[in-house]
Amino acid sequence: MKNMISAAIIAATALVGAEASATNYSLWIHGRNGNTTQPGNYANFSYWGPSTTAAGINKKAVNWNGTQRISVENYRVRDALDCFCTGANWCYIAAHSAGNLQIGYALSLYGGSTRSVRNAVPNSSGVCGTTGATQVGWNIKWVDVASGAGGGSELANMGDWATSEPLTSDLVTSTARAMYNHNTTRSKWFYMFAGAKGTLYSGTLPGQDDEAVAYHSTGGVSGTGGFCNPGNLFCDGTLNTGTAATSNGKALWSYHSVSLRDDGESYDHYAAGNWAGIVGPVRNDMVTYAK
């Protein structure tokens, strides 16, 4: 499916090439952290790994205060989308963990709003200059999600994370799922990469997990539950790949598809400052398709 989408967009871009010079960008939206990144600095990849590592065409780091509530910091994501994904420019999006909530929130609540077309030249605050034109929503090809926390995490439910961080409240499963309509993606596909190398919190997280988020969230399942790889016992059902519902009939959110189910239990949650864990397969996918 992703090959077909990319080919169609490339063809469409070629048709309008004589009228406008289009540039494609790869935006990387990080998850929960100790506010160690630099909001507004699109060149700071410290959350992910070496900035010299290939990670899709014209990569930009969408940094925000990873301790604060999604609603408070979402303007940072919208600034980036306005900067690089309006006018003749198009974006590929990669998100990790709570970055899934950030892009989902932006698309659901603001993706149908009128946006000012920007010139892709950011100031020190990460805001780009205006061109005088407007458009509805953003030019986004698709979204790759590494260990998405769009459905929240039981670690937040149980208080296993620092409760002094406002973001922890948003990551409670019931809160995350009620924050916005996850089915409203403005017809943008979310490709989910779900890791399963989880051991530390196996008693807290249901089904398969990557030590921070369980399959019900990382797989984009519309309901909570303990979902696993094929053949695993004591689970509510199997997380299927693609757009299929789980084996016990729980549907995925609209425009969500499982691209990677970690049958080998090889990928944990953490980028570890070196494009590691479940971020690795997403980076490879961006290198392959974000062109």
Side-chain angles (χ1 to χ4, degrees), residues 121-209:
V121 181
N123 63 19
S124 60
S125 298
V127 178
C128 292
T130 60
T131 65
T134 61
Q135 68 176 64
V136 175
W138 298 287
N139 307 330
I140 295 173
K141 299 187 179 186
W142 38 255
V143 182
D144 273 357
V145 183
S147 186
S153 172
E154 285 73 12
L155 297 188
N157 297 4
M158 301 298 293
D160 285 297
W161 286 333
T163 55
S164 61
E165 294 181 359
L167 179 61
T168 301
S169 298
D170 280 354
L171 290 169
V172 170
T173 54
S174 58
T175 303
R177 289 172 174 274
M179 192 179 300
Y180 58 89
N181 186 346
H182 290 57
N183 292 304
T184 303
T185 70
R186 310 297 167 177
S187 301
K188 311 303 181 186
W189 278 97
F190 279 51
Y191 294 101
M192 313 302 287
F193 291 69
K197 190 179 180 181
T199 56
L200 185 60
Y201 296 106
S202 59
T204 301
L205 292 163
Q208 218 88 42
D209 67 84

Side-chain angles (χ1 to χ4, degrees), residues 3 94 104 199 213 234:
N3 275 327
T199 56
V213 191
F234 310 113

Side-chain angles (χ1 to χ4, degrees), residues 261-272:
R261 181 188 61 204
D262 188 10
D263 291 359
E265 301 183 13
S266 302
Y267 303 106
D268 67 15
H269 186 80
Y270 309 104

Side-chain angles (χ1 to χ4, degrees), residues 6 9-11 13-14 21-27 56-60 84-93 120 139-141 286 289-291:
S6 297
I9 291 170
I10 290 169
T13 301
S21 177
T23 303
N24 293 338
Y25 294 93
S26 300
L27 304 189
I57 189 169
N58 296 320
K59 67 181 184 294
K60 303 292 181 182
F84 302 110
C85 318
T86 55
N89 300 332
W90 284 78
C91 289
Y92 303 92
I93 309 295
N139 307 330
I140 295 173
K141 299 187 179 186
M286 293 289 284
Y289 296 110
K291 297 180 178 179

